[in-house]
Amino acid sequence: MTLRDAADYIMKLPKAEQLLEEWQTAVEALLLVVELNGPTMMARIGVMRALNRGYAREFDSSRKDTHWGRRKLKRDT
């Protein structure tokens, strides 16, 4: 996706949604990239956060425990 595609997508949103804080931040990041040759990753992060604004990550305790920090030494085998 190009910066032009992202700008076109934002412009096609309903006006009420364009005025949300997340989309305003995404537009500012896009303008930073275009006008001041800023980091493109910032524009990507802004758009992704605006797209996923209603999604809340939840901890799933049913997942398998990790093995981090439990190294097996050769002498313990």
Side-chain angles (χ1 to χ4, degrees), residues 1-10 30 33-34 40 43-44 47:
M1 179 176 191
T2 64
L3 295 174
R4 168 77 62 189
D5 294 334
D8 289 341
Y9 179 81
I10 294 171
L30 281 171
V33 171
V34 173
T40 56
R44 182 183 187 281
V47 172

Side-chain angles (χ1 to χ4, degrees), residues 10 13-25 27:
I10 294 171
L13 290 173
K15 194 65 169 176
E17 194 165 349
Q18 285 181 12
L19 297 177
L20 292 175
E21 183 180 346
E22 292 87 358
W23 285 112
Q24 291 295 315
T25 305
V27 168

Side-chain angles (χ1 to χ4, degrees), residues 7-74:
D8 289 341
Y9 179 81
I10 294 171
M11 295 304 292
K12 289 179 183 177
L13 290 173
K15 194 65 169 176
E17 194 165 349
Q18 285 181 12
L19 297 177
L20 292 175
E21 183 180 346
E22 292 87 358
W23 285 112
Q24 291 295 315
T25 305
V27 168
E28 288 178 20
L30 281 171
L31 290 174
L32 173 72
V33 171
V34 173
E35 293 176 355
L36 301 176
N37 200 17
T40 56
M41 184 58 73
M42 296 302 284
R44 182 183 187 281
I45 291 170
V47 172
M48 294 302 291
R49 288 187 68 174
L51 286 171
N52 296 316
R53 72 183 179 282
Y55 177 74
R57 293 182 68 176
E58 296 178 11
F59 179 71
D60 185 9
S61 62
S62 67
R63 294 184 65 177
K64 182 179 167 185
D65 288 338
T66 61
H67 64 280
W68 301 334
R70 299 183 196 155
R71 294 177 53 187
K72 291 184 180 178
L73 300 176
K74 187 165 186 147

